[in-house]
Amino acid sequence: TAGRDMAVRVYDEATRRLTHTLTEGYTGVTAGHSNRIFSVKFHPDDSNMVLSAGWDKSVQIWDLRAGHSVRSIFGAQVCGDGMDVHGNLVATASYRPSEDNLQLWDFRSTELLKNIKWCSETDEKKEDGLQRSLLYSCSFSPDGKQIVAGGAHDNCVKVFDVANDLVLGSIGPLPGSVFDVAFAPSGSYIAVGSADRTIRVYETIF
């Protein structure tokens, strides 16, 4: 769990007891969080590694064995469930109307790998600017080949091919801001939660 007190807490599922409280960085290397945390995930391949992201424009990578943050990614303005990890890739969705709102990072080196372009060249020419999405959420597909993301302003959801940055599908605009998106474990469906208090489930066809 994580939230406004800037601490990440890990609990034992069997005993319901708190096992770790993570707040500090490693002196001279990392600093922990300095503002509200909105997203927290275990690394799917290593249960000792936890990632968290929030308002301080950082992703902290925690090692439960060390008890502190061991690496930091800087630059992502996460304001919802806008961080996910698959293998050596970390995806971040930022609440900002720019071309760097959906990004891929290297888990080990923390370097930025690329920006995934949200809007097409045709969309960029629109005068109303609705193509500029303020992203709240992103999620990898189970095989890591796609990313789904969504947010406010244009109230849209898009699925991208990770390797080629291609838009495989688009949903919206929906009646309200998109607060959360997630693939089903099978990869066959995408769930979308929005501000109109509705969860919609879509079948993937790619």
Side-chain angles (χ1 to χ4, degrees):
T1 65
R4 66 180 180 180
D5 67 354
M6 301 171 288
V8 175
R9 293 178 173 85
V10 181
Y11 296 85
D12 183 279
E13 172 63 20
T15 65
R16 303 296 194 268
R17 291 184 177 180
L18 178 67
T19 60
H20 299 80
T21 301
L22 307 170
T23 59
E24 304 296 331
Y26 184 68
T27 304
V29 180
T30 59
H33 282 291
S34 60
N35 212 324
R36 186 187 298 250
I37 302 169
F38 280 96
S39 186
V40 62
K41 302 280 174 64
F42 275 101
H43 193 292
D45 303 323
D46 188 345
S47 60
N48 289 306
M49 305 303 292
V50 177
L51 293 83
S52 58
W55 264 349
D56 59 5
K57 297 184 180 180
S58 78
V59 176
Q60 298 296 325
I61 301 173
W62 310 86
D63 190 327
L64 299 185
R65 296 160 296 190
H68 56 72
S69 173
V70 293
R71 294 192 296 280
S72 302
I73 293 171
F74 294 104
Q77 188 175 358
V78 174
C79 296
D81 192 20
M83 181 269 300
D84 201 11
V85 56
H86 186 280
N88 194 44
L89 295 177
V90 178
T92 57
S94 292
Y95 191 81
R96 57 192 178 209
S98 61
E99 285 306 313
D100 59 353
N101 57 2
L102 186 59
Q103 297 175 298
L104 280 182
W105 310 81
D106 188 287
F107 172 74
R108 297 186 185 93
S109 70
T110 70
E111 293 180 359
L112 176 64
L113 298 177
K114 62 180 174 179
N115 297 317
I116 297 177
K117 195 172 184 180
W118 182 261
C119 57
S120 66
E121 293 182 1
T122 301
D123 287 335
E124 287 178 340
K125 296 177 182 178
K126 294 179 180 178
E127 294 181 359
D128 57 17
L130 289 178
Q131 74 277 6
R132 299 295 186 184
S133 187
L134 307 172
L135 298 184
Y136 277 117
S137 181
C138 67
S139 178
F140 280 108
S141 62
D143 60 8
K145 294 181 179 180
Q146 294 93 35
I147 292 176
V148 60
H153 196 45
D154 66 356
N155 301 345
C156 287
V157 176
K158 292 185 180 182
V159 181
F160 296 87
D161 180 276
V162 172
N164 302 308
D165 302 349
L166 297 176
V167 177
L168 301 177
S170 181
I171 302 164
L174 296 179
S177 299
V178 176
F179 288 138
D180 210 357
V181 293
F183 274 94
S186 65
S188 300
Y189 298 92
I190 293 171
V192 177
S194 63
D196 65 343
R197 294 187 275 184
T198 303
I199 296 174
R200 297 171 173 86
V201 180
Y202 299 91
E203 186 174 5
T204 59
I205 56 174
F206 40 81

